[in-house]
Coordinates of all heavy atoms in Angstrom, one line a residue:
S22 N 42.3 111.5 86.4 CA 41.6 112.6 86.9 C 40.1 112.6 86.6 O 39.3 112.9 87.5 CB 42.2 113.9 86.2 OG 41.9 113.9 84.8
A39 N 26.9 119.5 90.8 CA 28.3 119.8 90.4 C 28.5 119.0 89.1 O 28.2 117.8 88.9 CB 29.3 119.3 91.4
Q66 N 36.3 102.6 99.1 CA 34.9 102.6 99.4 C 34.1 102.1 98.3 O 33.0 101.5 98.5 CB 34.5 104.1 99.7 CG 35.0 104.6 101.0 CD 34.6 106.0 101.3 OE1 34.1 106.7 100.4 NE2 35.0 106.6 102.4
A80 N 47.2 99.7 81.5 CA 47.3 100.1 80.1 C 48.5 101.0 79.9 O 48.9 101.3 78.7 CB 46.0 100.9 79.7
E112 N 58.0 91.2 77.9 CA 57.6 91.7 76.5 C 58.8 92.1 75.7 O 58.9 91.8 74.5 CB 56.6 92.8 76.6 CG 56.0 93.3 75.3 CD 55.0 94.4 75.5 OE1 53.8 94.1 75.8 OE2 55.4 95.6 75.4
S125 N 78.7 97.6 75.9 CA 77.7 97.9 76.8 C 77.9 99.2 77.5 O 79.1 99.5 77.8 CB 77.5 96.7 77.8 OG 76.6 97.2 78.9
F130 N 67.0 97.8 79.7 CA 65.6 98.0 80.0 C 64.9 96.7 80.0 O 65.3 95.8 79.2 CB 64.9 99.0 79.0 CG 65.5 100.4 79.2 CD1 66.5 100.9 78.3 CD2 64.9 101.3 80.1 CE1 67.0 102.1 78.4 CE2 65.3 102.6 80.1 CZ 66.4 103.0 79.3
Y133 N 57.7 94.3 81.0 CA 56.9 93.2 81.3 C 55.6 93.3 80.6 O 55.1 94.4 80.2 CB 56.6 93.0 82.8 CG 57.9 92.5 83.5 CD1 58.7 93.3 84.2 CD2 58.2 91.1 83.6 CE1 59.8 92.9 84.9 CE2 59.2 90.7 84.2 CZ 60.1 91.5 84.9 OH 61.1 91.1 85.6
S147 N 67.4 94.5 94.0 CA 68.8 94.3 93.9 C 68.9 92.8 93.4 O 68.2 91.9 93.9 CB 69.5 94.3 95.2 OG 69.4 95.6 95.8
K148 N 69.8 92.6 92.4 CA 70.0 91.3 91.8 C 71.4 91.1 91.3 O 72.0 92.1 90.8 CB 68.9 91.2 90.6 CG 68.9 89.7 90.0 CD 67.9 89.7 88.9 CE 66.5 90.0 89.3 NZ 65.9 89.0 90.2
R153 N 77.9 91.2 89.3 CA 77.6 92.6 89.6 C 76.3 92.7 90.3 O 75.3 92.1 89.8 CB 77.7 93.5 88.4 CG 79.0 93.4 87.7 CD 80.1 94.3 88.4 NE 79.7 95.7 88.4 CZ 80.0 96.6 87.4 NH1 80.7 96.2 86.4 NH2 79.7 97.9 87.5
G163 N 63.5 108.1 85.2 CA 64.7 108.6 84.6 C 65.8 107.7 84.7 O 65.8 106.7 85.4
L183 N 91.2 98.6 97.3 CA 90.8 97.2 97.1 C 91.9 96.5 96.3 O 92.6 97.0 95.4 CB 89.5 97.1 96.4 CG 88.2 97.6 97.1 CD1 87.0 97.4 96.2 CD2 88.0 96.8 98.4
Y209 N 84.8 98.4 87.7 CA 85.7 97.8 86.7 C 85.9 98.7 85.5 O 85.1 99.5 85.2 CB 85.0 96.5 86.2 CG 84.9 95.4 87.2 CD1 83.7 95.3 88.0 CD2 85.9 94.5 87.5 CE1 83.6 94.3 89.0 CE2 85.8 93.5 88.4 CZ 84.6 93.4 89.2 OH 84.5 92.4 90.1
S216 N 89.5 95.3 87.8 CA 89.1 96.1 88.9 C 89.9 97.4 88.9 O 91.1 97.4 88.6 CB 89.3 95.4 90.2 OG 89.2 96.2 91.3
K249 N 84.4 105.3 103.6 CA 83.9 106.6 103.9 C 82.7 106.9 103.1 O 82.4 106.2 102.1 CB 85.0 107.7 103.7 CG 85.5 107.8 102.3 CD 86.7 108.7 102.3 CE 87.3 108.8 100.9 NZ 88.4 109.7 100.8
T261 N 94.4 119.1 89.5 CA 94.6 118.6 88.1 C 95.9 119.1 87.6 O 96.3 120.2 87.8 CB 93.5 119.2 87.2 OG1 92.2 118.9 87.8 CG2 93.5 118.6 85.8
H286 N 128.3 147.6 56.2 CA 127.0 147.2 56.0 C 126.3 148.2 55.2 O 126.2 149.4 55.7 CB 126.3 146.8 57.2 CG 126.9 145.7 58.0 ND1 126.6 144.4 57.8 CD2 127.9 145.7 59.0 CE1 127.3 143.6 58.6 NE2 128.1 144.4 59.3
G290 N 120.8 155.3 54.0 CA 121.6 156.3 54.6 C 123.1 156.1 54.4 O 123.5 155.3 53.5
L308 N 124.6 168.9 64.3 CA 125.2 169.8 65.4 C 126.1 169.0 66.3 O 126.8 169.6 67.0 CB 124.0 170.3 66.2 CG 123.0 171.3 65.4 CD1 121.9 171.7 66.3 CD2 123.7 172.4 64.9
K333 N 170.7 139.1 105.1 CA 171.5 139.0 106.3 C 171.2 137.8 107.1 O 170.1 137.6 107.5 CB 171.3 140.3 107.2 CG 171.7 141.6 106.4 CD 171.5 142.8 107.3 CE 171.9 144.1 106.7 NZ 171.6 145.3 107.5
Q335 N 173.1 137.1 109.9 CA 173.3 137.3 111.3 C 172.1 137.7 112.0 O 171.2 138.3 111.4 CB 174.4 138.3 111.6 CG 174.1 139.7 111.1 CD 174.4 140.0 109.7 OE1 174.6 139.0 108.9 NE2 174.5 141.2 109.2
S336 N 172.0 137.4 113.3 CA 170.8 137.7 114.0 C 170.9 139.2 114.4 O 172.0 139.8 114.5 CB 170.8 136.9 115.3 OG 172.0 137.1 116.1

Side-chain angles (χ1 to χ4, degrees):
S22 61
Q66 292 179 353
E112 183 179 277
S125 170
F130 295 93
Y133 287 99
S147 301
K148 189 182 297 293
R153 300 283 297 272
L183 294 177
Y209 292 92
S216 171
K249 56 185 177 182
T261 307
H286 296 270
L308 297 177
K333 295 182 179 181
Q335 65 274 17
S336 60

